[in-house]
Amino acid sequence: MNSFQEAATTDETLDPPDWTNVGALSHRILDDAIAYLKDVRERPVWREMPAEVRSFFSAPLPRSPAPVADIYDDVARNVMPYPMGNIHPRFWSWYMGSSNFTGALGDFLAAIQGSNLGGGNHAAGLMDSQVVNWMKQMMGFPASSSGTLVSGGSMANIIGLTVARNAKAGVDVRERGVDAMPKPLRYYASDQVHSCHRKAMEALGLGNRALRRIPTDAGLRIDIEALKAAIAEDREAGFRPACVIGTAGTVNTGAVDDLQALAKVAAEEHLWFHVDGCIGALIAIAPENRSLVAGIEQADSIALDPHKWLHAPFEAGCALVRDASAHRNTFAVTPEYLESTPRGLASGEWLHDYGLQTSRGFRALKIWMALKEHGVEKFGRLIDQNIAQARYLAELIEAEPALELMAPTTINIVSFRHRLAGVSEERLKVFNTEIMLRLQEEGIAALSDTTVHGRHSLRVAIANHRTRHDDLDLLVREMLRLGREIEAAAPGV
């Protein structure tokens, strides 16, 4: 045997030595996955991991092979029973979608196909562009606009705000940097804006102070007159107003800024108009409630999340930009090893020219498959359904003397708390936090908490296609039960 023949017999691969056994295991995993979703309502929303499960994740680095069936058994025993819980119908903690089985199949097929969506002439690249075009249609954006699929809302907002910075900098900021700008830029958003915008300001080299938080009205929407005053004040002080950020659904309460009024201010003041629509942008496809986000189609850029109200498995965000040239000019770089060719693999569009990632996963397939299966109209009806459920819960709360709403219920987020007579705000916070934690620990429901108008509040964000009205009835009953138990065990808490 010569050296070449010997090398051929010793070459290694990650492919299994026996595809038949792998096929059998794969069928078992698929059956388990179907049962996992089918029976999700019968399991606790969340449960604490016992010590032996936690210790499993302290095992040392594996240095030798193990049978894949044994590996799956470890996952089935130590991972699958202890999820975050967001696919459960009574998970309302944070604003997350609840996934769907077809989307999970899409993720599996995307991983099998293995394409890198940095660009190139292949089917996955065309599907990525198609899904972005569908998102434009949902938002009422022109066909000439551009967009990119990203990891989630934080990155989608960074994409839009970066294009805004470069468009308003007054210099070639890509070449010369932010220090060369003739005037410091100012961005404007309500005091309810998501924390990712602070991260964006810092990452863009502008600093947190570049983002002015404008006071909100009684409905927690940005105060338009206060915004105008802040812009005038900044111009007088030598700053350059650059961008106004409208929020289509705040995290705390679901408040939606007056997007039409913000579009008008932006046009009059020559500002970039960006909409953070990671919570509520997709209300634009909801037949009964789309008027709540009227004006979103006038934005210069929008951030939205298919992994929320389109229920794509994590992760899937999208940034849309009206001016495609400004978008591409913000990110495009063409090194010699990524030059286009007149035909062949490198003749397709380079999708990495529209964002920060050169290597990009095939996020589009899971979105594409679910939209094809259900149609966009059904997703719109499910959004209306969640909003109706939030209003139903608000009615239950208003009808129950022991509970109180803490803010208006605009879309699908309900902020409320359990009353407790004769105690301080601090003790009320302790009392309501204990109710929230017991709901989680007993596997009944997952809520979160926040601060509204300076007061502690519990928060239910209904973004789940599995939630039913009787789940909300159950929540109210269990809150009242726990409230009675906690107060009886420690009067006055």
Side-chain angles (χ1 to χ4, degrees), residues 41-65:
R41 179 175 287 277
E42 311 309 317
R43 298 195 303 274
V45 179
W46 177 88
R47 57 177 172 165
E48 183 63 75
M49 287 174 283
E52 61 269 21
V53 172
R54 288 189 173 276
S55 66
F56 171 81
F57 297 102
S58 300
L61 174 70
R63 297 191 176 276
S64 56

mmCIF file of all heavy atoms in Angstrom, residues 41-65:
data_model
loop_
_atom_site.group_PDB
_atom_site.id
_atom_site.type_symbol
_atom_site.label_atom_id
_atom_site.label_comp_id
_atom_site.label_asym_id
_atom_site.label_seq_id
_atom_site.Cartn_x
_atom_site.Cartn_y
_atom_site.Cartn_z
ATOM 1 N N ARG A 41 -49.147 22.030 27.120
ATOM 2 C CA ARG A 41 -50.090 22.592 28.084
ATOM 3 C C ARG A 41 -50.147 21.787 29.378
ATOM 4 O O ARG A 41 -50.498 22.314 30.439
ATOM 5 C CB ARG A 41 -51.471 22.666 27.436
ATOM 6 C CG ARG A 41 -52.564 23.209 28.312
ATOM 7 C CD ARG A 41 -53.862 23.363 27.537
ATOM 8 N NE ARG A 41 -53.771 24.501 26.633
ATOM 9 C CZ ARG A 41 -53.985 25.769 26.998
ATOM 10 N NH1 ARG A 41 -54.309 26.027 28.254
ATOM 11 N NH2 ARG A 41 -53.892 26.744 26.139
ATOM 12 N N GLU A 42 -49.792 20.506 29.296
ATOM 13 C CA GLU A 42 -49.879 19.637 30.473
ATOM 14 C C GLU A 42 -48.663 19.753 31.384
ATOM 15 O O GLU A 42 -48.649 19.198 32.477
ATOM 16 C CB GLU A 42 -50.047 18.171 30.035
ATOM 17 C CG GLU A 42 -51.132 17.946 28.983
ATOM 18 C CD GLU A 42 -52.459 18.561 29.371
ATOM 19 O OE1 GLU A 42 -52.842 18.418 30.550
ATOM 20 O OE2 GLU A 42 -53.108 19.193 28.508
ATOM 21 N N ARG A 43 -47.639 20.436 30.946
ATOM 22 C CA ARG A 43 -46.417 20.555 31.736
ATOM 23 C C ARG A 43 -46.382 21.892 32.470
ATOM 24 O O ARG A 43 -47.075 22.837 32.080
ATOM 25 C CB ARG A 43 -45.178 20.427 30.828
ATOM 26 C CG ARG A 43 -45.052 19.091 30.126
ATOM 27 C CD ARG A 43 -43.650 18.902 29.545
ATOM 28 N NE ARG A 43 -43.290 19.968 28.619
ATOM 29 C CZ ARG A 43 -43.593 19.960 27.319
ATOM 30 N NH1 ARG A 43 -44.273 18.954 26.797
ATOM 31 N NH2 ARG A 43 -43.224 20.945 26.530
ATOM 32 N N PRO A 44 -45.547 22.000 33.502
ATOM 33 C CA PRO A 44 -45.378 23.310 34.146
ATOM 34 C C PRO A 44 -44.803 24.325 33.161
ATOM 35 O O PRO A 44 -44.041 23.971 32.249
ATOM 36 C CB PRO A 44 -44.377 23.027 35.274
ATOM 37 C CG PRO A 44 -44.386 21.549 35.465
ATOM 38 C CD PRO A 44 -44.731 20.948 34.148
ATOM 39 N N VAL A 45 -45.171 25.578 33.337
ATOM 40 C CA VAL A 45 -44.583 26.623 32.504
ATOM 41 C C VAL A 45 -43.067 26.649 32.702
ATOM 42 O O VAL A 45 -42.292 26.727 31.743
ATOM 43 C CB VAL A 45 -45.179 27.995 32.865
ATOM 44 C CG1 VAL A 45 -44.551 29.087 32.002
ATOM 45 C CG2 VAL A 45 -46.688 27.982 32.696
ATOM 46 N N TRP A 46 -42.659 26.577 33.961
ATOM 47 C CA TRP A 46 -41.231 26.640 34.323
ATOM 48 C C TRP A 46 -41.058 25.857 35.605
ATOM 49 O O TRP A 46 -41.994 25.758 36.409
ATOM 50 C CB TRP A 46 -40.819 28.101 34.541
ATOM 51 C CG TRP A 46 -39.392 28.285 34.978
ATOM 52 C CD1 TRP A 46 -38.299 28.411 34.179
ATOM 53 C CD2 TRP A 46 -38.898 28.375 36.336
ATOM 54 N NE1 TRP A 46 -37.168 28.575 34.942
ATOM 55 C CE2 TRP A 46 -37.507 28.552 36.270
ATOM 56 C CE3 TRP A 46 -39.506 28.315 37.586
ATOM 57 C CZ2 TRP A 46 -36.703 28.682 37.404
ATOM 58 C CZ3 TRP A 46 -38.715 28.436 38.726
ATOM 59 C CH2 TRP A 46 -37.333 28.622 38.623
ATOM 60 N N ARG A 47 -39.886 25.288 35.788
ATOM 61 C CA ARG A 47 -39.577 24.671 37.078
ATOM 62 C C ARG A 47 -38.086 24.759 37.350
ATOM 63 O O ARG A 47 -37.271 24.769 36.423
ATOM 64 C CB ARG A 47 -40.050 23.227 37.141
ATOM 65 C CG ARG A 47 -39.501 22.307 36.077
ATOM 66 C CD ARG A 47 -39.997 20.890 36.325
ATOM 67 N NE ARG A 47 -39.653 19.991 35.247
ATOM 68 C CZ ARG A 47 -39.709 18.670 35.349
ATOM 69 N NH1 ARG A 47 -40.076 18.110 36.485
ATOM 70 N NH2 ARG A 47 -39.403 17.900 34.338
ATOM 71 N N GLU A 48 -37.769 24.826 38.618
ATOM 72 C CA GLU A 48 -36.371 24.932 39.037
ATOM 73 C C GLU A 48 -35.653 23.614 38.776
ATOM 74 O O GLU A 48 -36.213 22.534 38.957
ATOM 75 C CB GLU A 48 -36.311 25.273 40.531
ATOM 76 C CG GLU A 48 -34.909 25.485 41.058
ATOM 77 C CD GLU A 48 -34.220 26.662 40.414
ATOM 78 O OE1 GLU A 48 -34.550 27.799 40.743
ATOM 79 O OE2 GLU A 48 -33.337 26.406 39.552
ATOM 80 N N MET A 49 -34.411 23.702 38.340
ATOM 81 C CA MET A 49 -33.609 22.499 38.110
ATOM 82 C C MET A 49 -33.084 21.955 39.428
ATOM 83 O O MET A 49 -32.540 22.711 40.233
ATOM 84 C CB MET A 49 -32.434 22.808 37.182
ATOM 85 C CG MET A 49 -32.818 23.026 35.740
ATOM 86 S SD MET A 49 -31.410 23.564 34.741
ATOM 87 C CE MET A 49 -31.298 25.289 35.229
ATOM 88 N N PRO A 50 -33.214 20.656 39.668
ATOM 89 C CA PRO A 50 -32.617 20.076 40.876
ATOM 90 C C PRO A 50 -31.098 20.091 40.788
ATOM 91 O O PRO A 50 -30.511 20.267 39.714
ATOM 92 C CB PRO A 50 -33.162 18.655 40.903
ATOM 93 C CG PRO A 50 -33.597 18.360 39.513
ATOM 94 C CD PRO A 50 -33.978 19.667 38.884
ATOM 95 N N ALA A 51 -30.467 19.882 41.918
ATOM 96 C CA ALA A 51 -29.003 19.983 42.008
ATOM 97 C C ALA A 51 -28.304 19.025 41.058
ATOM 98 O O ALA A 51 -27.281 19.372 40.439
ATOM 99 C CB ALA A 51 -28.553 19.728 43.443
ATOM 100 N N GLU A 52 -28.858 17.802 40.912
ATOM 101 C CA GLU A 52 -28.181 16.828 40.043
ATOM 102 C C GLU A 52 -28.207 17.248 38.579
ATOM 103 O O GLU A 52 -27.291 16.930 37.816
ATOM 104 C CB GLU A 52 -28.792 15.437 40.209
ATOM 105 C CG GLU A 52 -30.263 15.313 39.853
ATOM 106 C CD GLU A 52 -31.170 15.559 41.035
ATOM 107 O OE1 GLU A 52 -30.731 16.203 42.019
ATOM 108 O OE2 GLU A 52 -32.329 15.104 40.976
ATOM 109 N N VAL A 53 -29.253 17.973 38.179
ATOM 110 C CA VAL A 53 -29.297 18.476 36.804
ATOM 111 C C VAL A 53 -28.290 19.609 36.630
ATOM 112 O O VAL A 53 -27.552 19.669 35.641
ATOM 113 C CB VAL A 53 -30.715 18.937 36.442
ATOM 114 C CG1 VAL A 53 -30.730 19.642 35.086
ATOM 115 C CG2 VAL A 53 -31.665 17.734 36.415
ATOM 116 N N ARG A 54 -28.247 20.520 37.586
ATOM 117 C CA ARG A 54 -27.259 21.607 37.498
ATOM 118 C C ARG A 54 -25.835 21.063 37.441
ATOM 119 O O ARG A 54 -24.993 21.577 36.699
ATOM 120 C CB ARG A 54 -27.403 22.549 38.693
ATOM 121 C CG ARG A 54 -28.639 23.415 38.631
ATOM 122 C CD ARG A 54 -28.637 24.474 39.718
ATOM 123 N NE ARG A 54 -29.737 25.383 39.529
ATOM 124 C CZ ARG A 54 -29.725 26.446 38.717
ATOM 125 N NH1 ARG A 54 -28.626 26.715 38.024
ATOM 126 N NH2 ARG A 54 -30.778 27.219 38.603
ATOM 127 N N SER A 55 -25.563 20.008 38.208
ATOM 128 C CA SER A 55 -24.202 19.453 38.218
ATOM 129 C C SER A 55 -23.841 18.825 36.880
ATOM 130 O O SER A 55 -22.662 18.761 36.529
ATOM 131 C CB SER A 55 -24.060 18.422 39.345
ATOM 132 O OG SER A 55 -24.876 17.297 39.100
ATOM 133 N N PHE A 56 -24.841 18.381 36.131
ATOM 134 C CA PHE A 56 -24.586 17.800 34.802
ATOM 135 C C PHE A 56 -23.841 18.792 33.914
ATOM 136 O O PHE A 56 -22.996 18.406 33.096
ATOM 137 C CB PHE A 56 -25.919 17.393 34.165
ATOM 138 C CG PHE A 56 -25.804 16.979 32.719
ATOM 139 C CD1 PHE A 56 -25.378 15.707 32.376
ATOM 140 C CD2 PHE A 56 -26.114 17.873 31.701
ATOM 141 C CE1 PHE A 56 -25.267 15.333 31.048
ATOM 142 C CE2 PHE A 56 -26.008 17.508 30.370
ATOM 143 C CZ PHE A 56 -25.584 16.228 30.048
ATOM 144 N N PHE A 57 -24.139 20.074 34.064
ATOM 145 C CA PHE A 57 -23.541 21.092 33.200
ATOM 146 C C PHE A 57 -22.161 21.541 33.687
ATOM 147 O O PHE A 57 -21.594 22.499 33.157
ATOM 148 C CB PHE A 57 -24.493 22.290 33.085
ATOM 149 C CG PHE A 57 -25.802 21.931 32.444
ATOM 150 C CD1 PHE A 57 -26.934 21.745 33.217
ATOM 151 C CD2 PHE A 57 -25.892 21.741 31.082
ATOM 152 C CE1 PHE A 57 -28.151 21.398 32.648
ATOM 153 C CE2 PHE A 57 -27.096 21.385 30.483
ATOM 154 C CZ PHE A 57 -28.225 21.206 31.266
ATOM 155 N N SER A 58 -21.625 20.835 34.665
ATOM 156 C CA SER A 58 -20.259 21.104 35.122
ATOM 157 C C SER A 58 -19.285 20.024 34.661
ATOM 158 O O SER A 58 -18.127 20.010 35.087
ATOM 159 C CB SER A 58 -20.232 21.187 36.655
ATOM 160 O OG SER A 58 -21.067 22.219 37.121
ATOM 161 N N ALA A 59 -19.761 19.126 33.809
ATOM 162 C CA ALA A 59 -18.891 18.046 33.331
ATOM 163 C C ALA A 59 -17.727 18.617 32.528
ATOM 164 O O ALA A 59 -17.863 19.652 31.864
ATOM 165 C CB ALA A 59 -19.695 17.077 32.476
ATOM 166 N N PRO A 60 -16.576 17.957 32.564
ATOM 167 C CA PRO A 60 -15.407 18.459 31.844
ATOM 168 C C PRO A 60 -15.545 18.303 30.326
ATOM 169 O O PRO A 60 -16.443 17.613 29.831
ATOM 170 C CB PRO A 60 -14.263 17.595 32.386
ATOM 171 C CG PRO A 60 -14.929 16.329 32.812
ATOM 172 C CD PRO A 60 -16.266 16.728 33.328
ATOM 173 N N LEU A 61 -14.633 18.923 29.609
ATOM 174 C CA LEU A 61 -14.588 18.843 28.149
ATOM 175 C C LEU A 61 -14.483 17.390 27.685
ATOM 176 O O LEU A 61 -13.603 16.661 28.131
ATOM 177 C CB LEU A 61 -13.380 19.634 27.631
ATOM 178 C CG LEU A 61 -13.082 19.556 26.144
ATOM 179 C CD1 LEU A 61 -14.150 20.310 25.347
ATOM 180 C CD2 LEU A 61 -11.690 20.144 25.865
ATOM 181 N N PRO A 62 -15.380 16.929 26.799
ATOM 182 C CA PRO A 62 -15.268 15.545 26.307
ATOM 183 C C PRO A 62 -14.075 15.393 25.371
ATOM 184 O O PRO A 62 -13.856 16.224 24.488
ATOM 185 C CB PRO A 62 -16.595 15.342 25.564
ATOM 186 C CG PRO A 62 -17.052 16.708 25.192
ATOM 187 C CD PRO A 62 -16.550 17.624 26.260
ATOM 188 N N ARG A 63 -13.309 14.338 25.570
ATOM 189 C CA ARG A 63 -12.110 14.116 24.755
ATOM 190 C C ARG A 63 -12.198 12.862 23.893
ATOM 191 O O ARG A 63 -11.356 12.645 23.038
ATOM 192 C CB ARG A 63 -10.874 14.048 25.649
ATOM 193 C CG ARG A 63 -10.626 15.365 26.388
ATOM 194 C CD ARG A 63 -9.269 15.411 27.064
ATOM 195 N NE ARG A 63 -9.047 16.726 27.674
ATOM 196 C CZ ARG A 63 -8.587 17.787 27.023
ATOM 197 N NH1 ARG A 63 -8.328 17.702 25.729
ATOM 198 N NH2 ARG A 63 -8.416 18.935 27.647
ATOM 199 N N SER A 64 -13.199 12.046 24.112
ATOM 200 C CA SER A 64 -13.343 10.821 23.331
ATOM 201 C C SER A 64 -14.798 10.672 22.925
ATOM 202 O O SER A 64 -15.692 11.300 23.511
ATOM 203 C CB SER A 64 -12.871 9.607 24.149
ATOM 204 O OG SER A 64 -13.569 9.539 25.378
ATOM 205 N N PRO A 65 -15.092 9.839 21.935
ATOM 206 C CA PRO A 65 -16.460 9.745 21.406
ATOM 207 C C PRO A 65 -17.426 9.112 22.393
ATOM 208 O O PRO A 65 -17.042 8.397 23.327
ATOM 209 C CB PRO A 65 -16.283 8.847 20.169
ATOM 210 C CG PRO A 65 -14.833 8.829 19.865
ATOM 211 C CD PRO A 65 -14.129 9.024 21.163
#
